[in-house]
Amino acid sequence: MRIGELAERTGVSVRSLRYYEKQGMLSSQRSASGQRHYDEHGVSRVLLIRQFFSAGMNSKTIAALLPHVKDPGERCPPAVLRQLTAELDRIDAQAEEIARARRTLADLIRATQEAMRATRTSE
């Protein structure tokens, strides 16, 4: 598939796809006219890249880890395993912080709604 179709299927801009390729996170075959062509694996690869970005990983880290994500059953080198573990720990800490922020917001909303109801009742 050409770059436009990959962009459409993944919801990622053509510019981002070019960036991913430049950073070594995505690869394509070039036609004689220089157009990029991607196989079906490109869709899942781009979705994985987006997932990692959404989790707060930077492009350097993603590019370093992606070669080891090809086959989840394959063993990773110890250095990569340490990096994966560190990213998981970071994401877990981030998830806990988000959960705390969510609880705080929910408490604020609930308290505001209760105060509004109490004000209406006393009028």
Side-chain angles (χ1 to χ4, degrees):
M1 81 189 82
R2 291 182 15 199
I3 195 167
E5 183 181 347
L6 182 60
E8 186 176 312
R9 289 182 59 186
T10 59
V12 173
S13 71
V14 169
R15 182 176 181 208
S16 291
L17 295 174
R18 287 186 184 120
Y19 173 78
Y20 298 166
E21 193 166 340
K22 184 176 180 182
Q23 298 302 309
M25 297 184 281
L26 184 65
S27 61
S28 66
Q29 300 296 318
R30 296 290 184 126
S31 68
S33 63
Q35 291 183 330
R36 291 173 169 90
H37 290 274
Y38 302 90
D39 59 19
E40 279 300 312
H41 178 66
V43 173
S44 59
R45 185 68 152 200
V46 170
L47 295 176
L48 180 60
I49 291 166
R50 294 303 310 155
Q51 194 175 45
F52 285 165
F53 272 126
S54 293
M57 295 170 76
N58 62 45
S59 58
K60 183 178 178 182
T61 300
I62 295 169
L65 295 177
L66 280 175
H68 306 284
V69 179
K70 290 179 184 173
D71 180 4
E74 191 175 306
R75 285 187 162 171
C76 293
V80 173
L81 182 58
R82 282 191 297 276
Q83 192 171 11
L84 289 170
T85 302
E87 285 299 322
L88 184 60
D89 291 344
R90 184 191 59 74
I91 290 168
D92 285 344
Q94 184 179 8
E96 290 171 13
E97 186 61 32
I98 290 169
R100 280 193 295 276
R102 188 192 184 290
R103 285 191 298 273
T104 299
L105 288 172
D107 290 345
L108 287 169
I109 291 167
R110 194 171 21 263
T112 300
Q113 289 171 336
E114 288 172 3
M116 290 171 66
R117 278 193 293 274
T119 302
R120 281 190 227 126
T121 306
S122 65
E123 291 178 350

